[in-house]
Structures are given as structure tokens and as C-alpha cells.
Amino acid sequence: LANNQKILQFLQYVDKSVKDETTSWCSAAVNYWAHDCGLPISGSLAARSWLKVGKNTTTPTRGNDIVVLWRVKPDSWQGHVGVYFHHNKTHVWILGGNQSDQVSIEAFPLTQLLEFRSLG
């Protein structure tokens, strides 16, 4: 399969040495979008790097804030990041990259939440 050029654009914005889309790209997408909007970026392909950008918020706003989740286990290095869309008592909806290998809005268990981060 050929590489998706938009995904490569996201990845290479953060790391010019990336040559294919096998690298996890959720953080690359958020970096690209944040830069495009004039917001701070993490400059890293690691989802948890976003825990150091902006400030923690308990009242996230759709489209303005980001969500950082843990993957595998809460204290692992692995995570997921995307743009906040909505949440209820059990789930948070995120607009993100590398969700089912595409840009989409998907729900994740709120129990995986590390932080809502305000970039503005």
C-alpha cells in the first residue's frame, strides 16, 4: 500500500526523518493542527508530550482544548491525544488522527483520561 501523503505531512512536520506512516501519528496530527491555528505545539510524536503543553483544565471546550489519554496502563509511556469534542459520565469524544487509522471522532472510556489541556 502507498503511504497517505497527508499522514506523512503530519509526521514529517514533527520529524523529517519519518519515511512512512507506520509511526503512530495522533500527536503529529495535533501538532500540525495546533501550529496551523497559531497554538503551542509539543514538537513530539509522543502523545503524552502534550501533558507539558498549555494548562490542565477541568472544563474543556469543544475544538479549543485537547485530551490526553493513557494506553496499555496509566503509568506506561504510551498514550493517545486528540482535540476535545464532548464528554459525559463515561466517555470522552475526541477528534483525532490515527483513530482506526484515520482522522475521525471516536469515543474513549473516561477512565483512560490523563488530562484535558487548554492550549489558549
Side-chain angles (χ1 to χ4, degrees):
L1 287 171
N3 287 308
N4 181 302
Q5 292 306 303
K6 191 62 175 183
I7 295 171
L8 279 176
Q9 188 177 6
F10 292 160
L11 287 162
Q12 291 176 347
Y13 169 73
V14 178
D15 184 345
K16 300 273 188 247
S17 71
V18 176
K19 301 295 182 214
D20 62 49
E21 61 186 72
T22 59
T23 302
S24 293
W25 53 276
C26 64
S27 182
V30 175
N31 272 286
Y32 188 89
W33 297 330
H35 174 263
D36 207 37
C37 293
L39 296 170
I41 63 169
S42 78
S44 170
L45 294 177
R48 288 182 183 229
S49 66
W50 288 93
L51 292 170
K52 297 176 183 168
V53 180
K55 62 182 179 182
N56 187 12
T57 181
T58 56
T59 55
T61 326
R62 179 181 295 171
N64 292 321
D65 298 324
I66 60 168
V67 180
V68 184
L69 304 172
W70 60 266
R71 282 192 317 114
V72 183
K73 57 185 180 177
D75 59 351
S76 77
W77 63 269
Q78 295 167 302
H80 185 62
V81 64
V83 178
Y84 175 80
F85 187 76
H86 170 75
H87 76 281
N88 63 22
K89 291 180 181 180
T90 61
H91 287 82
V92 58
W93 282 259
I94 299 171
L95 168 63
N98 205 22
Q99 296 180 168
S100 302
D101 203 27
Q102 61 186 346
V103 172
S104 64
I105 297 173
E106 289 192 22
F108 294 86
L110 205 50
T111 55
Q112 288 182 253
L113 177 68
L114 289 172
E115 289 183 11
F116 295 121
R117 303 291 297 179
S118 176
L119 301 182

